[in-house]
């Protein structure tokens, strides 16, 4: 008789110095997608193929991260200049924070992140505090209830990215659709310059609120308010 049965849920997990390596493979997929499949296999190694639903969720009620590391590598792509945040090849160090209600099923991951901190040494991008309701799938990435302090900037409310498949990030400016609702954001030109290096020549602040919809190279805004505080 089997007296112990795993219900695919962990009440609490403490992760000390975890090191996660995401690698973009030749077919454009991440090794992450294969990792999700392995998690599903561990949680439910012998699924009943005759059952109507074989995609069993795996959940963690609460997880604490201490001094973690997350790297993303795309061997096909050359590195950006050092002063830019290279979103295709980066390493986040000193990751700490709390993850609540972690849920994974199929290609979908959701969780509530609290007090998340991290730093990318190469570009000196520092996540001082981040809280959000996170959602990821092969076609969507959402940050709801977002409250982020990054370097000297403050971003809040909601951002959603939509794409046909993860390989679309190779041409982010044209293929990834963004819907954002911004509320009381305070963005420093010096921080934004890590993504648009021409702004390193300025020390302005951008105070903005409103709705943004579209791709980087073709978008519309609604109910948008922007104030520029000129730096010295």
């Amino acid at each position: 008789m089997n007296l112990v049965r795993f219900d695919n849920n962990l009440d609490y997990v403490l992760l000390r110095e975890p090191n996660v390596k995401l690698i973009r493979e030749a077919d454009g997929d991440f090794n992450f997608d294969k990792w999700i499949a392995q998690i599903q296999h561990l949680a439910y190694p012998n699924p009943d193929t005759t059952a109507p639903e074989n995609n069993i969720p795996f959940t963690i009620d609460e997880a604490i991260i201490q001094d973690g590391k997350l790297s993303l590598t795309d061997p096909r792509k050359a590195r950006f200049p050092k002063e830019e945040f290279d979103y295709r090849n980066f390493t986040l160090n000193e990751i700490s924070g709390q993850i609540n209600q972690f849920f994974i099923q199929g290609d979908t991951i959701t969780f509530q992140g609290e007090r998340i901190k991290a730093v990318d040494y190469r570009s000196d991008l520092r996540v001082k505090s981040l809280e959000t309701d996170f959602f990821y799938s092969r076609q969507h990435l959402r940050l709801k209830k977002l409250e982020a302090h990054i370097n000297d900037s403050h971003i809040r409310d909601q951002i959603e990215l939509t794409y046909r498949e993860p390989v679309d990030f190779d041409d982010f400016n044209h293929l990834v659709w963004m819907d954002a609702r911004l509320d009381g954001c305070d963005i420093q030109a010096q921080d934004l310059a890590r993504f648009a290096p021409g702004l390193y020549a300025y020390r302005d602040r951008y105070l903005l609120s409103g709705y943004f919809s579209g791709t980087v190279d073709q978008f519309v805004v609604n109910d948008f308010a922007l104030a520029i505080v000129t730096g010295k």
Side-chain angles (χ1 to χ4, degrees):
M1 179 181 296
N2 185 4
L3 299 179
V4 179
R5 184 175 184 272
F6 180 51
D7 63 358
N8 299 324
N9 173 262
L10 298 175
D11 295 335
Y12 177 83
V13 174
L14 173 61
L15 299 173
R16 289 178 175 162
E17 300 182 1
N19 188 356
V20 178
K21 298 180 180 180
L22 306 181
I23 301 172
R24 180 67 69 82
E25 299 183 345
D27 60 3
D29 282 346
F30 288 110
N31 62 339
F32 181 75
D33 298 307
K34 297 175 177 61
W35 176 78
I36 291 176
Q38 287 297 318
I39 289 290
Q40 287 293 317
H41 177 72
L42 288 173
Y44 202 69
N46 298 302
D48 180 1
T49 57
T50 64
E53 175 58 74
N54 297 313
N55 206 351
I56 306 301
F58 173 75
T59 58
I60 302 173
D61 294 341
E62 179 183 354
I64 302 296
I65 302 172
Q66 297 178 349
D67 196 20
K69 180 183 289 188
L70 169 67
S71 63
L72 187 151
T73 304
D74 189 342
R76 308 167 304 166
K77 302 297 182 181
R79 295 301 308 266
F80 288 2
K82 187 176 180 179
E83 65 273 11
E84 297 181 46
F85 177 71
D86 187 351
Y87 62 86
R88 297 185 299 200
N89 288 280
F90 65 84
T91 299
L92 296 178
N93 297 275
E94 300 180 31
I95 300 174
S96 65
Q98 180 171 330
I99 301 297
N100 298 318
Q101 303 304 315
F102 177 88
F103 172 96
I104 179 171
Q105 184 176 26
D107 69 349
T108 300
I109 295 176
T110 67
F111 62 79
Q112 298 169 1
E114 296 182 5
R115 301 184 301 278
I116 296 174
K117 297 180 180 180
V119 57
D120 174 51
Y121 292 132
R122 189 173 187 269
S123 65
D124 197 34
L125 184 144
R126 297 177 179 271
V127 180
K128 297 179 178 179
S129 176
L130 186 148
E131 301 196 9
T132 190
D133 287 353
F134 177 90
F135 174 97
Y136 167 84
S137 72
R138 284 184 60 84
Q139 294 184 318
H140 298 279
L141 191 156
R142 302 188 193 114
L143 302 175
K144 290 187 175 181
K145 299 180 181 178
L146 175 64
E147 193 84 30
H149 294 267
I150 302 175
N151 290 85
D152 295 319
S153 297
H154 178 210
I155 303 170
R156 66 186 306 268
D157 216 347
Q158 177 174 315
I159 298 174
E160 178 174 354
L161 306 181
T162 303
Y163 39 92
R164 294 171 301 176
E165 51 187 339
V167 73
D168 285 355
F169 279 89
D170 284 353
D171 192 4
F172 185 93
N173 290 352
H174 297 89
L175 298 180
V176 178
W177 185 274
M178 293 183 289
D179 288 294
R181 184 176 65 203
L182 306 175
D183 182 14
C185 297
D186 183 346
I187 301 176
Q188 301 281 339
Q190 291 291 296
D191 295 338
L192 196 57
R194 290 178 175 84
F195 305 91
L199 291 173
Y200 274 119
Y202 302 91
R203 296 194 174 274
D204 301 334
R205 291 171 56 205
Y206 308 113
L207 310 177
L208 52 93
S209 296
Y211 296 87
F212 174 104
S213 184
T215 59
V216 170
D217 62 350
Q218 188 173 2
F219 61 87
V220 296
V221 295
N222 291 290
D223 298 325
F224 205 78
L226 170 65
I228 300 176
V229 180
T230 303
K232 294 182 179 179

